[in-house]
């Protein structure tokens, strides 16, 4: 896991060094700036060593090609076997990108399985690619007569750049052509076909989940797990505890006595993890809020609320491990948000909404997870967003995800259960009441909403809690105070509630 900068047709090593310094928190283990001798490119890289820690330094420079990568390629062992071990000079998973690009296949990037962003200068052109969901960030901007690439927007702050935009998820930028979309989100299924074997479906889902967790635990360092006590993180932690080579470390945060802390202790005891927790206070929230918003690169109210507990969890985990598993993606795959209940009698609309939200995670929840964990030099991994798991989950009818659970009740009034198929698939992993516990948002279960309310009153000297609009105004003010060019950051920020699939009246 890392951060990088690439300047194309901008021969300024000092500028690259200054840009990488702004995102050096992403990789404290090593920083390097390299000018390619046979191409108009300067690359800078800051490294957090996870796979191949002894010989995985970047930029990777072989022949006329030079490469920087952020992320993990989980099928690198298989790719090495296909490409031939003799062509490799290191044990780094990132090197597979270089050798794949040299094959005759035009769709070579689609063979990469993992979370990644990269820039490759080769044969007089530059290529920049991003993983299917956009788990790892990548931005491009125009700088003079050339291009500048960076892992975070703050690398561009104060520079005379223009047209900053994110490389879209699942896309490959080619300076000899244009942007090519190499991955498209599979459309979600709606109604169950007649005769569908529900038990066989959830049993297969369980197997796919187990494979995803094992794959996303591959590392040369210890991998822990965030554990909020909610369903998603508890499932990941329970499966990871079974697959871990040593006792799994789990991490939980919240206000003292909050539901998340209580539930997480129960889950940790049940799965036998070495559990660590931190209880924060409203004063703690007020202290870290400017730091969180600066690194988040967004002032969206919903993102800030969930970024605060993520910060405390990341700071706690980094004292013990370099990488953690998280439960992000389960709500988008299996209909876990409160607003999804309104779609219970509209499975086609629900399937479309889940598909839409998966495709837009990159600058919402995935941005939060990436920025806030990397601010603490911690790698976050999201097994629910494994490509094979996404493909299988999207084939499961939406009617099995959000489901009425009382067959005797009238169709329009019966209780509904979110993530029904996921709960069935994992019901043996956890205590029954935790498996069927109603979802609480991370910011709610951890007590962050209450802590933020009090923290904002402290910061603003207010006698009454701020309403949502006033809360958002504070966040925007804090963001503007930290950036020379805040409009660029705000222009690239996503909104959690934007463009939802409308329900027919």
């Amino acid at each position: 896991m890392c951060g990088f900068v690439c300047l194309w047709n901008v021969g300024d090593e000092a500028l690259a060094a200054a840009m990488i310094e702004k995102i050096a928190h992403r990789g404290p283990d090593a920083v390097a700036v390299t000018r390619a001798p046979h191409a108009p490119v300067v690359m800078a890289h800051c490294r957090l060593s996870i796979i191949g820690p002894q010989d995985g330094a970047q930029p990777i420079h072989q022949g006329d090609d030079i490469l920087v990568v952020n992320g993990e390629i989980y099928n690198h062992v298989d790719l090495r076997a296909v490409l031939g071990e003799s062509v490799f000079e290191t044990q780094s998973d990132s090197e597979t990108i270089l050798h794949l690009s040299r094959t005759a296949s035009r769709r070579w990037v689609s063979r990469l399985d993992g979370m990644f962003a990269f820039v490759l200068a080769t044969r007089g052109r530059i290529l920049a690619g991003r993983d299917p969901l956009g788990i790892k960030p990548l931005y491009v901007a125009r700088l003079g007569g050339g291009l500048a690439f960076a892992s975070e927007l703050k690398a561009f702050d104060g520079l005379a750049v223009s047209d900053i935009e994110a490389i879209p998820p699942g896309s490959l930028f080619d300076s000899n052509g244009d942007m090519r979309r190499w991955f498209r989100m599979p459309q979600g299924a709606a109604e169950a076909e007649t005769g569908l074997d529900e038990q066989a479906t959830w049993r297969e889902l369980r197997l796919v989940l187990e494979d995803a967790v094992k794959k996303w635990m591959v590392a040369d360092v210890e991998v822990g797990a965030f554990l909020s006590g909610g369903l998603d993180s508890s499932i990941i932690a329970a499966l990871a505890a079974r697959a871990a080579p040593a006792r799994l470390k789990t991490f939980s945060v919240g206000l003292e006595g909050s539901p998340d802390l209580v539930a997480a202790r129960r889950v940790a005891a049940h799965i036998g993890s070495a559990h660590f927790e931190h209880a924060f206070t409203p004063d703690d929230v007020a202290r870290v809020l400017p730091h969180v918003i600066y690194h988040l690169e967004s002032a969206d109210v919903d993102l800030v609320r969930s970024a605060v507990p993520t910060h405390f969890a990341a700071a706690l985990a980094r004292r013990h491990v370099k990488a953690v598993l998280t439960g992000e993606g389960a709500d988008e795959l299996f209909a876990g948000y409160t607003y999804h209940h309104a779609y219970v009698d509209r499975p086609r609309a629900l399937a479309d909404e889940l598909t839409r939200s998966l495709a837009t995670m990159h600058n919402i929840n995935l941005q939060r997870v990436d920025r806030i964990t990397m601010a603490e030099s911690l790698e976050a991994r999201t097994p629910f967003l494994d490509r094979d798991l996404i493909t299988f989950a999207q084939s499961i009818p939406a009617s099995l995800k959000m489901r009425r659970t009382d067959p005797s009740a009238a169709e329009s009034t019966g209780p509904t259960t979110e993530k029904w198929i996921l709960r069935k698939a994992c019901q043996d992993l956890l205590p029954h009441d935790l498996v069927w516990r109603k979802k609480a948002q991370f910011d709610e279960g951890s007590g962050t909403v209450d802590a933020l309310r009090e923290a904002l009153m402290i910061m603003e000297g207010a006698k009454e809690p701020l309403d949502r609009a006033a809360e958002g105004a504070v966040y925007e003010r804090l963001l503007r105070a930290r950036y020379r060019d805040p409009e660029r950051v705000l222009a690239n920020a996503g909104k959690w509630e934007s463009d939802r699939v409308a329900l027919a009246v």
Side-chain angles (χ1 to χ4, degrees):
M1 191 61 63
C2 333
F4 63 72
V5 167
C6 175
L7 302 180
W8 175 256
N9 285 325
V10 184
D12 193 334
E13 292 175 66
L15 176 60
M19 292 176 70
I20 201 68
E21 178 63 27
K22 294 178 183 177
I23 58 173
H25 49 271
R26 297 184 69 90
D29 293 337
V31 177
V33 180
T34 302
R35 176 191 287 270
H38 305 297
V41 62
V42 176
M43 290 186 174
H45 189 271
C46 54
R47 185 176 184 225
L48 181 65
S49 305
I50 301 293
I51 294 178
Q54 302 306 316
D55 62 356
Q58 294 191 43
I60 298 173
H61 193 185
Q62 295 181 14
D64 293 338
D65 299 339
I66 184 169
L67 169 74
V68 281
V69 184
N70 169 29
E72 309 290 353
I73 310 301
Y74 294 123
N75 64 335
H76 72 101
V77 173
D78 293 339
L79 291 173
R80 281 174 177 269
V82 172
L83 294 166
E85 189 68 39
S86 62
V87 303
F88 285 83
E89 297 182 6
T90 75
Q91 293 302 308
S92 170
D93 59 309
S94 297
E95 192 183 345
T96 56
I97 295 174
L98 184 65
H99 300 298
L100 266 182
S101 72
R102 293 170 172 172
T103 65
S105 172
R106 292 191 68 244
R107 285 188 47 77
W108 60 269
V109 69
S110 66
R111 298 172 66 184
L112 297 170
D113 186 4
M115 55 178 188
F116 55 84
F118 67 86
V119 177
L120 170 64
T122 178
R123 304 179 191 93
R125 66 176 178 167
I126 197 160
L127 303 172
R130 199 171 177 194
D131 66 66
L133 273 291
I135 299 171
K136 293 291 100 187
L138 180 55
Y139 295 92
V140 61
R142 297 199 174 278
L143 179 58
L147 297 173
F149 299 84
S151 297
E152 296 187 16
L153 289 164
K154 56 181 63 66
F156 300 112
D157 193 38
L159 303 182
V161 296
S162 60
D163 301 327
I164 299 175
E165 62 178 346
I167 301 290
S171 296
L172 183 69
F173 169 89
D174 186 340
S175 60
N176 283 357
D178 51 18
M179 202 80 72
R180 176 168 67 85
R181 197 69 176 262
W182 62 268
F183 176 87
R184 294 191 181 278
M185 184 63 59
Q187 180 61 48
E191 295 274 14
E193 297 178 3
T194 303
L196 176 70
D197 188 332
E198 293 182 359
Q199 185 176 85
T201 301
W202 79 62
R203 288 186 182 278
E204 188 66 20
L205 172 58
R206 171 64 171 272
L207 295 177
V208 179
L209 265 170
E210 290 175 353
D211 285 348
V213 170
K214 290 176 183 176
K215 182 197 301 184
W216 287 62
M217 291 187 73
V218 171
D220 292 328
V221 298
E222 186 177 8
V223 178
F226 283 168
L227 179 58
S228 71
L231 181 69
D232 309 336
S233 65
S234 296
I235 287 173
I236 296 298
L239 293 174
R242 296 185 176 192
R247 191 182 182 195
L248 180 74
K249 292 184 174 70
T250 53
F251 307 96
S252 179
V253 299
L255 289 179
E256 189 66 53
S258 63
D260 276 6
L261 285 181
V262 174
R265 288 173 199 153
R266 285 190 61 202
V267 174
H270 186 81
I271 66 176
S273 65
H275 191 55
F276 302 86
E277 64 178 45
H278 170 70
F280 56 79
T281 67
D283 285 334
D284 294 330
V285 173
R287 174 177 52 82
V288 305
L289 194 55
H291 169 86
V292 168
I293 291 174
Y294 170 71
H295 282 285
L296 179 63
E297 299 185 336
S298 174
D300 180 72
V301 170
D302 295 296
L303 286 190
V304 173
R305 287 178 175 181
S306 54
V308 168
T310 303
H311 161 78
F312 289 116
L316 171 64
R318 189 59 182 89
R319 295 200 288 269
H320 303 276
V321 296
K322 273 188 165 184
V324 291
L325 304 179
T326 82
E328 261 68 37
D331 290 322
E332 288 79 4
L333 280 175
F334 300 103
Y337 291 119
T338 301
Y339 80 92
H340 288 151
H341 287 267
Y343 292 81
V344 66
D345 297 320
R346 303 288 190 275
R348 178 69 270 160
L350 177 58
D352 292 345
E353 170 58 16
L354 297 180
T355 302
R356 180 208 64 81
S357 61
L358 281 166
T360 60
M361 289 186 72
H362 61 282
N363 66 347
I364 306 175
N365 276 336
L366 290 179
Q367 176 170 320
R368 167 183 57 83
V369 173
D370 172 82
R371 299 299 193 284
I372 301 304
T373 56
M374 291 307 292
E376 303 304 317
S377 305
L378 179 74
E379 175 178 291
R381 298 182 170 192
T382 55
F384 276 115
L385 297 178
D386 179 77
R387 270 175 76 177
D388 292 336
L389 179 52
I390 288 172
T391 299
F392 186 78
Q394 285 291 85
S395 74
I396 297 174
S399 57
L400 297 184
K401 298 176 179 181
M402 180 64 69
R403 189 166 194 178
R404 294 198 182 277
T405 51
D406 183 359
S408 66
E411 181 177 323
S412 60
T413 60
T416 55
T417 298
E418 70 276 7
K419 293 185 283 198
W420 181 85
I421 190 77
L422 179 62
R423 296 173 193 269
K424 295 294 288 186
C426 301
Q427 58 190 335
D428 63 309
L429 288 174
L430 302 162
H432 182 272
D433 62 312
L434 291 180
V435 170
W436 297 99
R437 176 190 179 202
K438 277 290 183 182
K439 177 181 175 65
Q441 302 294 128
F442 188 20
D443 53 359
E444 295 170 346
S446 63
T448 304
V449 172
D450 294 333
L452 263 171
R453 184 180 298 114
E454 187 171 336
L456 290 169
M457 291 173 64
I458 294 171
M459 295 170 66
E460 297 298 293
K463 295 182 180 180
E464 298 291 336
L466 276 61
D467 62 24
R468 185 180 177 89
E471 180 182 353
V474 172
Y475 299 156
E476 183 172 332
R477 188 183 76 230
L478 292 174
L479 185 147
R480 288 181 178 279
R482 294 296 300 272
Y483 286 93
R484 295 181 184 177
D485 301 305
E487 295 300 337
R488 293 172 175 172
V489 177
L490 293 168
N492 278 276
K495 298 291 185 182
W496 194 70
E497 295 183 347
S498 296
D499 301 322
R500 289 178 180 173
V501 173
L503 284 168
V505 178

